[in-house]
Amino acid sequence: MTPGRLASALCAATVLLAAGPAGADETCQSPYMVKITGVEDFVYVWTLGVEGLGDGSDKLVTVDAREGSPTFGRPIHAVPVGGRHEAHHGGFTDDRRQFWAAGLSDSRIFIFNVADDPAKPRLVKVIDDFVERSGGAAGPHGAYALPGRMLIPSLSNRDGTGRAALVEYSNEGEYVATHWLPTDAAPNGATIEARADGYGYDARVLPRRNVMLTSSFTGLENYMRPLGDLMKDAEAMKRFGQTMVVWDFHARQPRTVLSVPGVPLEIRWAWGPQNTYAFTSTALTSKLWLVREDGRGAWSAKAVADIGDPSTLPVPVDISLSADDRTLFVDTFMDGTTRVFDVSDPDRPRQIYEKKIGAQLNMVSQSWDGKRIYYTSSLLANWDKTGAENEQFLKAYTWDGKALAPRFAIDFTAERLGRPHMMAFGAASLYGK
């Protein structure tokens, strides 16, 4: 990366972190990315293929989000990638010209050009040697923009167990480095609170504190099993993450392994200029957790709220923190419900709203101005509900601070598209179109 490009990327990050809630980008995106400053034109949906449904392939689906458009609220384009790869998460490069989308089952990464025609992304490259080049990491979970690079957290390794790594690529798709998560046997200099299990999931950076947080899930041997079968296996249920790791971001060095029992998943940093904390939720204990730095520079994690009734296992799966750090949306898979928490006092969140979105529910994406909320339904191919409860949808709502109101809904099964998972926003204005 040239010094000029690095300076441009850091400048873009500074602009993002200083911006108020006047823009309209997803609040969970990397701070190193170019940001949408108007209303999103498109929602890109990374979608799992279903055998016998349409072409049966995983695909990137473009949905028209332009109000007044004759195709508003409809799928207008789809790019099949050939076959089913357990489509899961992805992300844009820092210049937002490419969208990288990962497959959990065979560790392939699909790179789409979204700049030439934002309504019609096209597949331009497939990385099919992720396991080999990374030195054994497997199950790329997503893609997080760094200046000139993409950070790929893995969920697994070539043996299918939970030992995971962070893998870096250049924006051009060339392998750069692998950073293994600490374990009890190989802490790599990290201080360990209770254990270091080596599991991985999400990775998010707070640049002004030189801190990266990672969370933990489970390995391929678990996440590719049917959920009912997995839950009957007491030994397999022990093989889930119980930790988060605080890293020295620049050095890529783990500093502290925090004890966060119950499988902490998505990480959402507060972006306020004085805030040094993040939220996560734990899937198996239905808790909201706060990870915070104190005045001495020490990091700690504590549970700060229940999410629904933990005894019924609602299974929190995704969260979205508003741009002003005051409102947190939390989705629970089993009861298909989104809950909204007032987190203006992060130590004492309180639920202020809830709404059942469907029979099952997974991802939530919130616009930067907080006015539009999008939801998808699919978790994992073998974990989604079956029969009449196997609803597969993208649903869009408006949020006025008090209640959600429907904008549009797409039945992905009726459209023969598959199982919608991750969402990302697109805008033609980013590319001078």
Side-chain angles (χ1 to χ4, degrees), residues 174-313:
E174 298 299 323
Y175 168 78
V176 175
T178 300
H179 315 282
W180 290 95
L181 271 74
T183 63
D184 288 340
N188 196 20
T191 300
I192 300 171
E193 276 193 353
R195 71 184 80 176
D197 52 33
Y199 292 117
Y201 187 78
D202 202 8
R204 304 278 163 162
V205 178
L206 185 63
R208 58 184 170 77
R209 297 300 301 144
N210 183 34
V211 170
M212 176 169 62
L213 275 180
T214 57
S215 55
S216 56
F217 182 44
T218 191
L220 186 145
E221 62 185 4
N222 269 4
Y223 67 68
M224 290 303 293
R225 289 179 69 176
L227 183 58
D229 176 55
L230 173 64
M231 294 183 71
K232 295 175 185 176
D233 186 337
E235 288 304 310
M237 290 301 293
K238 295 177 183 177
R239 298 193 289 269
F240 279 89
Q242 310 289 324
T243 59
M244 297 181 73
V245 181
V246 181
W247 298 69
D248 178 319
F249 170 59
H250 292 152
R252 309 295 199 267
Q253 175 72 37
R255 291 167 48 191
T256 307
V257 181
L258 302 172
S259 178
V260 184
V263 193
L265 297 179
E266 306 292 342
I267 300 165
R268 300 293 179 255
W269 284 109
W271 291 123
Q274 303 303 318
N275 290 337
T276 55
Y277 61 86
F279 290 103
T280 191
S281 62
T282 46
L284 296 185
T285 56
S286 300
K287 301 285 187 182
L288 190 62
W289 284 73
L290 178 69
V291 181
R292 164 174 271 164
E293 182 185 32
D294 66 20
R296 297 172 287 110
W299 289 84
S300 61
K302 66 176 181 178
V304 289
D306 287 335
I307 300 167
D309 178 0
S311 68
T312 66
L313 281 180

Side-chain angles (χ1 to χ4, degrees), residues 307 314-317 330-339 360-361:
I307 300 167
V315 186
V317 282
V330 181
D331 284 0
T332 47
F333 177 76
M334 293 303 292
D335 60 8
T337 298
T338 191
R339 294 174 175 84
Q360 58 189 4
L361 182 63

Side-chain angles (χ1 to χ4, degrees), residues 51-92:
E51 185 176 5
L53 191 67
D55 60 17
S57 170
D58 293 354
K59 56 182 63 65
L60 186 66
V61 177
T62 304
V63 173
D64 189 348
R66 300 168 295 183
E67 294 193 17
S69 166
T71 53
F72 170 69
R74 306 305 310 159
I76 57 174
H77 186 66
V79 189
V81 298
R84 291 181 293 281
H85 313 273
E86 195 65 43
H88 206 68
H89 286 193
F92 294 104

Side-chain angles (χ1 to χ4, degrees), residues 26 40-47 60-66 71-77 318 331 357-366 372-378 390-397 405-426:
E26 306 106 309
E40 63 278 359
D41 294 328
F42 311 107
V43 180
Y44 304 122
V45 186
W46 184 219
T47 303
L60 186 66
V61 177
T62 304
V63 173
D64 189 348
R66 300 168 295 183
T71 53
F72 170 69
R74 306 305 310 159
I76 57 174
H77 186 66
D318 195 20
D331 284 0
I357 304 298
Q360 58 189 4
L361 182 63
N362 188 16
M363 302 294 290
V364 53
S365 287
Q366 177 184 183
R372 293 168 307 287
I373 316 290
Y374 299 88
Y375 297 97
T376 55
S377 51
S378 181
N390 184 28
E391 296 179 354
Q392 298 297 342
F393 56 76
L394 167 71
K395 292 185 178 181
Y397 294 82
R407 285 179 73 216
F408 64 81
I410 301 171
D411 183 332
F412 268 54
T413 301
E415 297 285 347
R416 304 184 65 77
L417 291 170
R419 303 173 185 266
H421 190 86
M422 185 199 172
M423 298 161 285
F425 297 167

